Amino acid sequence: MGRYIIRRILYLIVVILVVSMITFGLMHAIPGGPFSREKALPEETIKMLEERYHLDDPLWKQYVDYIYNVLIPHFSTTAPTNSLQDDFLVNAKIGNVWFRWMNFGPSFKSRSRTVNDIFRDNLPISAQLGTMALIVALVIGMPLGILAALKQNTPWDYLGMGVAILGVSVPVIVLGPIFVWIFGVELKWLPPTGWGASPPYLLGFLPSELGWEFFRYAIMPSIALGLGSSAIIARLTRATLLQTVREDYIRTARAKGLQERLIITRHALKNSLIPVVTIIGPMFAALVTGTFVTELIFGIPGMGKYFVTSITNRDYPVIMGTILLYAVFLVIANLFVDIIYAYLDPRIRYD
Amino acid sequence: MPEVLLDVQDLETQFRTSDGIVYAVNGVSFHLQEGETLGIVGESGCGKSVTMLSLLRLIPSPPGKIANGKALFLGQDLLTISDEAVRQIRGGQISMIFQDPMTSFNPVLTIGRQVSEPLEIHLGMSHKEALNRVVELLDLVGIPNAQDRINDYPHQFSGGMRQRVMIAMALSCNPQILIADEPTTALDVTIQAQIVELVKRLRDEVGMSVIWITHDLGIIAGLADRVAVMYGGYIIEEAPVKELYSHPQHPYTIGLLGSLPRLDRKQHHRLTSIDGLPPVLYEKPHYCPFAPRCKFAVEKCRKENPSLEKYDTSHYLACWVDTETGSER
């Protein structure tokens, strides 16, 4: 198992290289650049800017420099300047040597910030929202799916699956404003916009205070965002559980005289969880790295908008940073899924 | 006169499918005496398994439905008693072993967990007591190093070993009836013989009754006291095992025996086969269900369905034709 995890983490480097190469190639292939404006800037200004951000270097050199700054650890004996060009995500002082790693570069658009600033300030908010949305999705989706499967073809089933279809077909862009209108504007129960946590974060991503002040901001967006995923989880849970209870070993369990409740909890659920766990991996990666629409509707200062605006702005370091972040989360989430597989199914062993 | 343990009368089971209702079991009656072994034979799809699953109410419902009949076990009708009452009987007084030991165990639970379950449910043992008993049971069925293997998962056992574990699980609560649903079909021939021997030995030690479902007449010959032959959801012939092998009367039974290599015949003979496949019945046949495949079929066979009648002392038969003469009885 340990060797398997190490191997998978080494694969991660390959994934980062491939994803970064494709992204780098594609983003430079789009016409226009970070400093193209409707009202064109003077040629000298553009030249100066490009020189400053090394955009006048040949593309291969730009790419190699980028990978060098992001992937290769830097060691130095002099104290870091922490300028916009010199902002590393990992900073550690060992003896009198500075160990520094992962410089994603400055943002071209917001001149005073770096990509690492976005990771430090905005990513934790998205991660908090995404995690809560995933919890909502699981807490609603799994019981709904189990109930629908156990009461197949009864009103419970139709009700559960009706709710699920509603959840899938009503997007956040509709549900969000309805929530804001009812609970935020009319009833005034919950704040219509904003987020209840701000830097510094506990361990870099947890809200420093987990109280009502945090949750009253988080309830609406978490539910609005989680409901769609809960519908997917409910439908999948129902389908796999229905398939599992048709298995021979469930018949064996019945033939032993086991109580129906034990048959479901002990014999059926663990087996039917495997496909559900499979989709939770990518779902988690997608939710925690930022969700553009939800964050926009509820005025949450998360990561979501950077995925979209960085591309329209040709903000090269932000494009690269957001996409690599997503890739890393996806790979790590899938690694966790694989580890959970091995726990759920003893036939799966990775050596 | 030994006591009758199980008395099944006019059992009918149907399945609702998208193509219409399938009549899987059409009025099956049989009984089982204490200490007796009853063999039930027939091709796949004759209703053997469905009959037994119906008895224990293990038919998935829907689509399955027990439409008629009684199954009296020690005086109570298994088909009408409460779900809770039938659950108490399952695995306790009547237990069942299944055909495919690969799929009949839960892949994600340890063998110890699965075998100990009936002990905990029916005998009220604690998990720890049950596990000690499991080790004894696994020893009994010939699993080497039983103590070390209770924490293993089903995939760590071979097919034959798994079937031994299945038997240990079925016998754990000293059942009065063991229903074996083709327990050797999925196994190698050498393993088959071992499993048959094991069940025989345990049957004689424990003194339970056995219903052994198979399509292999060779296995039944050395195991059963009495044999019922099923076709199209009916029992078409029933006789003590020696009588059935020496004087088969139904053309289907004759056909089945003709397809079996015999060491007790002096001269060599060709193995015969029965052409065609058993029918899937979308309506209850008003003719003999075997008639379309029968070499002896006469006019009456296609018009009227024979019922199981007494042919000789304890030999019952459902056929219009005398196969010796080829004419109607």
Side-chain angles (χ1 to χ4, degrees):
Chain A
M1 190 64 147
R3 288 184 57 182
Y4 174 77
I5 293 173
I6 292 169
R7 206 166 64 223
R8 284 288 295 265
I9 290 173
L10 291 178
Y11 281 147
L12 181 58
I13 297 172
V14 180
V15 169
I16 289 174
L17 285 175
V18 172
V19 170
S20 64
M21 244 183 259
I22 294 172
T23 313
F24 193 86
L26 282 175
M27 93 191 165
H28 281 281
I30 323 173
F35 307 114
S36 316
R37 295 286 182 278
E38 214 167 306
K39 205 177 136 215
L41 293 170
E43 205 135 305
E44 307 85 75
T45 317
I46 291 185
K47 214 164 170 220
M48 254 171 57
L49 283 165
E50 289 193 334
E51 210 172 330
R52 178 171 166 208
Y53 292 116
H54 303 287
L55 289 173
D56 51 350
D57 285 345
L59 273 185
W60 67 265
K61 187 169 185 303
Q62 287 183 41
Y63 179 74
V64 171
D65 283 346
Y66 182 81
I67 290 299
Y68 171 76
N69 281 327
V70 168
L71 276 189
I72 312 293
H74 292 55
F75 296 95
S76 68
T77 43
T78 51
T81 57
N82 283 332
S83 68
L84 286 182
Q85 303 282 351
D86 192 33
D87 179 21
F88 287 81
L89 203 56
V90 177
N91 284 291
K93 196 178 178 205
I94 309 160
N96 52 1
V97 178
W98 291 87
F99 168 78
R100 313 177 74 215
W101 191 33
M102 292 195 275
N103 177 4
F104 283 91
S107 166
F108 293 169
K109 177 72 185 168
S110 30
R111 300 278 163 77
S112 57
R113 300 185 79 203
T114 63
V115 177
N116 282 335
D117 283 331
I118 296 173
F119 288 168
R120 276 189 287 256
D121 300 342
N122 306 85
L123 175 62
I125 293 177
S126 286
Q128 290 157 14
L129 171 64
T131 308
M132 291 192 39
L134 191 72
I135 292 171
V136 167
L138 286 172
V139 166
I140 296 178
M142 297 217 11
L144 208 63
I146 293 170
L147 184 75
L150 296 185
K151 311 260 178 206
Q152 193 195 2
N153 297 333
T154 65
W156 285 109
D157 185 15
Y158 303 138
L159 183 76
M161 287 306 104
V163 171
I165 287 179
L166 211 70
V168 171
S169 45
V170 179
V172 179
I173 202 160
V174 175
L175 202 62
I178 292 176
F179 274 10
V180 170
W181 173 54
I182 296 176
F183 300 106
V185 178
E186 292 296 324
L187 297 174
K188 297 201 192 325
W189 288 353
L190 297 165
T193 58
W195 193 249
S198 52
Y201 299 107
L202 206 63
L203 297 174
F205 67 98
L206 291 170
S208 41
E209 255 182 85
L210 254 183
W212 173 240
E213 198 44 38
F214 172 73
F215 283 110
R216 72 193 196 101
Y217 282 98
I219 289 172
M220 277 202 298
S222 307
I223 292 177
L225 180 59
L227 223 52
S229 308
S230 81
I232 296 168
I233 291 176
R235 292 198 68 87
L236 191 69
T237 306
R238 175 181 182 270
T240 55
L241 190 56
L242 279 179
Q243 203 181 355
T244 309
V245 295
R246 301 258 180 288
E247 295 282 347
D248 281 354
Y249 54 79
I250 297 296
R251 187 182 61 189
T252 309
R254 287 219 168 83
K256 276 192 272 193
L258 220 59
Q259 293 91 333
E260 242 357 79
R261 185 178 50 81
L262 270 182
I263 291 173
I264 298 302
T265 54
R266 192 185 285 165
H267 284 261
L269 268 186
K270 210 174 162 194
N271 282 290
S272 56
L273 275 181
I274 292 174
V276 180
V277 167
T278 311
I279 60 154
I280 289 176
M283 200 179 258
F284 178 77
L287 287 176
V288 297
T289 51
T291 40
F292 178 61
V293 176
T294 312
E295 290 175 1
L296 193 69
I297 291 170
F298 291 97
I300 298 166
M303 277 269 307
K305 69 171 177 197
Y306 293 103
F307 279 88
V308 180
T309 54
S310 65
I311 295 173
T312 49
N313 291 332
R314 309 286 187 275
D315 195 344
Y316 295 148
V318 181
I319 296 176
M320 291 294 284
T322 48
I323 287 181
L324 285 183
L325 177 87
Y326 185 70
V328 169
F329 264 76
L330 198 60
V331 171
I332 291 179
N334 279 327
L335 176 61
F336 271 102
V337 166
D338 285 348
I339 294 170
I340 296 172
Y341 277 165
Y343 166 73
L344 287 176
D345 190 339
R347 288 170 299 183
I348 299 172
R349 285 283 174 269
Y350 308 107
D351 10 68
Chain B
M1 183 85 184
E3 199 189 340
V4 174
L5 265 184
L6 181 69
D7 188 8
V8 178
Q9 298 163 12
D10 291 320
L11 182 71
E12 289 181 29
T13 304
Q14 296 153 8
F15 288 92
R16 202 176 292 274
T17 70
S18 50
D19 296 332
I21 293 174
V22 173
Y23 292 84
V25 179
N26 301 305
V28 162
S29 303
F30 65 92
H31 66 276
L32 182 71
Q33 288 169 352
E34 209 167 277
E36 183 187 38
T37 299
L38 173 66
I40 297 194
V41 295
E43 285 163 281
S44 305
C46 285
K48 312 182 297 277
S49 297
V50 175
T51 303
M52 293 309 143
L53 291 172
S54 301
L55 288 186
L56 287 176
R57 308 226 302 251
L58 290 171
I59 296 286
S61 166
K65 186 180 154 225
I66 299 168
N68 189 26
K70 277 185 186 167
L72 299 172
F73 171 66
L74 299 173
Q76 49 182 346
D77 185 356
L78 294 174
L79 304 184
T80 54
I81 56 176
S82 70
D83 286 348
E84 179 57 21
V86 81
R87 186 183 70 70
Q88 301 272 2
I89 289 171
R90 294 202 279 243
Q93 289 158 289
I94 303 179
S95 56
M96 196 156 175
I97 50 183
F98 296 99
Q99 175 173 351
D100 192 347
M102 304 292 167
T103 59
S104 296
F105 277 106
N106 192 330
V108 305
L109 297 177
T110 61
I111 287 297
R113 172 76 269 174
Q114 297 189 57
V115 180
S116 65
E117 273 176 339
L119 294 163
E120 290 169 35
I121 301 164
H122 299 294
L123 304 182
M125 289 188 187
S126 71
H127 187 52
K128 214 175 153 208
E129 288 170 340
L131 278 182
N132 288 334
R133 179 77 185 124
V134 169
V135 174
E136 291 171 24
L137 284 164
L138 294 184
D139 259 340
L140 188 72
V141 297
I143 305 279
N145 302 324
Q147 182 69 51
D148 304 328
R149 303 222 61 184
I150 52 172
N151 290 322
D152 283 355
Y153 289 91
H155 69 277
Q156 290 162 299
F157 289 77
S158 68
M161 282 296 153
R162 256 182 272 193
Q163 202 58 290
R164 282 168 190 268
V165 175
M166 181 63 86
I167 290 167
M169 188 159 78
L171 298 187
S172 58
C173 299
N174 295 321
Q176 284 158 288
I177 301 176
L178 173 72
I179 300 174
D181 186 358
E182 306 208 34
T184 57
T185 307
L187 304 175
D188 295 344
V189 180
T190 48
I191 311 290
Q192 279 185 15
Q194 291 174 14
I195 295 291
V196 171
E197 278 313 307
L198 176 68
V199 172
K200 258 185 178 172
R201 178 167 67 83
L202 295 171
R203 174 194 66 187
D204 297 340
E205 279 172 22
V206 182
M208 62 188 172
S209 308
V210 176
I211 299 176
W212 189 287
I213 303 174
T214 183
H215 54 246
D216 186 340
L217 283 155
I219 286 177
I220 284 291
L223 189 71
D225 302 312
R226 207 150 46 85
V227 181
V229 184
M230 281 192 76
Y231 190 82
Y234 296 91
I235 291 180
I236 47 118
E237 187 165 11
E238 188 195 316
V241 65
K242 285 216 176 82
E243 166 77 8
L244 190 88
Y245 281 70
S246 53
H247 303 294
Q249 292 303 317
H250 198 286
Y252 181 59
T253 316
I254 295 169
L256 286 179
L257 287 168
S259 65
L260 194 71
R262 299 281 287 259
L263 291 174
D264 55 346
R265 292 266 171 87
K266 288 284 182 299
Q267 74 269 49
H268 294 286
H269 70 292
R270 292 188 71 85
L271 297 179
T272 54
S273 64
I274 309 171
D275 294 331
L277 289 169
V280 177
L281 298 172
Y282 287 107
E283 53 183 45
K284 262 196 221 176
H286 50 84
Y287 52 89
C288 172
F290 187 60
R293 299 169 73 187
C294 184
K295 284 186 293 194
F296 299 94
V298 294
E299 203 49 36
K300 192 174 184 186
C301 302
R302 299 189 182 90
K303 286 190 176 141
E304 235 180 297
N305 192 358
S307 57
L308 194 65
E309 304 288 348
K310 193 163 192 165
Y311 168 76
D312 199 354
T313 332
S314 65
H315 190 159
Y316 297 83
L317 178 67
C319 185
W320 295 124
V321 181
D322 184 343
T323 48
E324 306 251 320
T325 62
S327 59
E328 211 175 293
R329 268 179 221 283

